[in-house]
Amino acid sequence: MLTIIILLALFIATYTDTKTKTIPVFLFPSVLVLGVLCLIHNGNLNLLSSFIFGIFAFISYLVLALFFHGGGGDVIMMTSLAFLLGKEILYIMFIGHTILCIVSLVRYIRTKKKETLPFTPFVLVAYIIYLIGGFFV
């Protein structure tokens, strides 16, 4: 159930991020509440791990937002996902940023222009790759 909630939120955020370069502010805090309820219901909530990775994601993406033109929605999105997924967020971050770097490099080579790309589509793809490949991790 948690996977479906996260996927649905990522699809919504991807749509809005690509169209308007914004992520609805209420979306991922709502996902966080629903996700915590699912984790409690399933008995899978590890508060220590959730807080550690949530704080790590918050600080990482806050630095990106403040100093490297990242977005505030990305901070909220990744912090919420990190709290829900724990250490698995590291895989998603690595995969998402790797794909983003490759796409950015290819676009730069083709157009010779620096562009800002929405981050949410890369998180969505990374999460899907993680879900497919997560069985092997």
Side-chain angles (χ1 to χ4, degrees):
M1 184 66 161
L2 179 61
T3 303
I4 294 169
I5 293 169
I6 292 172
L7 277 172
L8 182 61
L10 284 172
F11 275 110
I12 293 168
T14 296
Y15 177 78
T16 60
D17 201 12
T18 54
K19 293 290 183 190
T20 65
K21 300 243 191 229
T22 61
I23 298 172
V25 169
F26 67 88
L27 182 62
F28 283 97
S30 301
V31 167
L32 180 60
V33 170
L34 289 173
V36 167
L37 292 174
C38 285
L39 289 173
I40 290 171
H41 178 32
N42 294 337
N44 294 336
L45 182 62
N46 182 345
L47 280 176
L48 180 61
S49 176
S50 292
F51 277 114
I52 289 171
F53 288 101
I55 290 170
F56 170 75
F58 176 76
I59 292 170
S60 300
Y61 285 90
L62 185 63
V63 167
L64 289 174
L66 294 175
F67 300 110
F68 299 100
H69 308 291
D74 296 337
V75 177
I76 296 168
M77 174 182 65
M78 294 306 288
T79 301
S80 298
L81 292 178
F83 191 89
L84 293 173
L85 299 174
K87 70 177 180 174
E88 282 78 20
I89 195 67
L90 298 176
Y91 299 115
I92 294 163
M93 289 168 69
F94 177 74
I95 295 166
H97 284 284
T98 301
I99 296 169
L100 175 64
C101 288
I102 292 168
V103 169
S104 294
L105 182 64
V106 169
R107 288 179 74 143
Y108 179 76
I109 290 170
R110 285 185 178 172
T111 64
K112 301 293 186 217
K113 294 180 189 175
K114 287 185 180 179
E115 296 179 70
T116 58
L117 298 173
F119 183 54
T120 311
F122 299 100
V123 175
L124 173 62
V125 170
Y127 187 63
I128 292 170
I129 290 171
Y130 170 74
L131 289 175
I132 294 168
F135 297 111
F136 306 108
V137 176

